[in-house]
Amino acid sequence: MSLTLPPLPYALDALEPYISRRTLSAHHGNHHAAYVEKTRVLTQRTPLESAPLEEVVHASAPRNSALFNAAAQAWNHTFYWNSLRPDGGGEAQGPMRELIEECFGSQRAFSQQFVTTASDQFGSGWVWLVLDAGRLRIMATSNADTPLVTPVLLPLLTLDVWEHAYYLDYQHRRLEYIAAFLAHLVNWDFANRALAAAGKSAARGTLERDPQLDRGHRK
Ligand code: FE2
């Protein structure tokens, strides 16, 4: 079983006009592909050669920074593609809606905090909506850092705020990219599925992430 680049969960032009075919093609086909390939090369002929990508991320943090950066970026990008969908965005539905209202007070307050966190992130990184001890929290990570390696955190959504994610479409206007994500692209179904998995695993005293995410990396 070798590490492979999972296909996008939608067509290259499916997120237009908010994220262009040109951006998705370069982001998935060049950037994400390069992280997967680097992870594959760095794990060749090592005990991690056939390990699930999540395990490679955990095993490489924090000491093997070259492998961690590649593997975490490979994992983060797959999570990002799943955090987006055509005709997404707007107000959350289902259990996520209730939890957002409980934890942030309102959808509007959630959006405002997300925009502030995403626009304040200095340099390259990621903005996450995570479940932390049953409560929602918005957090940012720098470069390849990921909440995946923090045992108590369960990622529910992410937004890539590296410039390569938006520069072709928005140039320096990160705020417009963040607004487009919230209004038109957020995949609330994905967040609801992650939340449901967390609910089931909490009853067993474990923290479970969507296994489909990792299965996609091995063929
Ligand atoms: Fe990216």
Side-chain angles (χ1 to χ4, degrees):
M1 253 194 333
S2 67
L3 199 64
T4 55
L5 176 68
L8 283 172
Y10 29 72
L12 283 174
D13 59 359
L15 304 181
E16 290 190 339
Y18 309 108
I19 296 179
S20 66
R21 167 189 278 270
R22 194 168 161 231
T23 292
L24 266 196
S25 176
H27 198 174
H28 178 254
N30 298 339
H31 293 273
H32 190 184
Y35 293 125
V36 171
E37 176 60 12
K38 188 158 188 187
T39 305
R40 192 187 65 76
V41 168
L42 290 175
T43 52
Q44 259 177 348
R45 291 181 291 281
T46 77
L48 293 171
E49 185 166 20
S50 297
L53 182 59
E54 278 201 11
E55 194 179 320
V56 178
V57 176
H58 283 288
S60 59
R63 291 195 181 153
N64 187 343
S65 59
L67 180 55
F68 174 78
N69 286 339
Q73 282 292 82
W75 191 89
N76 289 349
H77 277 89
T78 300
F79 201 86
Y80 170 60
W81 307 133
N82 282 284
S83 297
L84 308 172
R85 54 163 286 180
D87 301 319
E91 298 202 343
Q93 307 89 37
M96 280 302 299
R97 184 187 189 94
E98 290 167 31
L99 204 51
I100 281 176
E101 284 170 7
E102 185 187 320
C103 298
F104 296 95
S106 67
Q107 286 271 337
R108 187 179 166 81
F110 158 77
S111 295
Q112 284 172 340
Q113 194 181 131
F114 195 96
V115 167
T116 301
T117 306
S119 52
D120 285 354
Q121 169 58 27
F122 182 75
S124 299
W126 301 84
V127 180
W128 304 85
L129 179 64
V130 299
L131 194 66
D132 180 359
R135 303 280 297 173
L136 293 177
R137 184 153 71 86
I138 296 167
M139 61 180 287
T141 58
S142 293
N143 300 319
D145 284 349
T146 175
L148 179 63
V149 295
T150 306
V152 296
L153 300 180
L154 182 89
L156 300 172
L157 288 172
T158 194
L159 178 65
D160 187 342
V161 291
W162 283 60
E163 278 193 348
H164 66 227
Y166 62 88
Y167 204 83
L168 289 174
D169 297 328
Y170 298 92
Q171 289 81 51
H172 61 288
R173 302 186 305 276
R174 185 191 282 185
L175 206 52
E176 289 181 26
Y177 164 65
I178 300 163
F181 171 72
L182 290 170
H184 303 288
L185 298 171
V186 177
N187 187 347
W188 289 115
D189 293 340
F190 177 65
N192 271 317
R193 285 202 300 276
L195 194 61
K200 283 181 207 143
S201 60
R204 292 196 294 273
T206 60
L207 197 56
E208 209 166 84
R209 298 179 175 89
D210 189 343
Q212 292 298 334
L213 274 181
D214 200 52
R215 229 172 267 147
H217 293 97
R218 293 269 173 206
K219 284 220 175 96

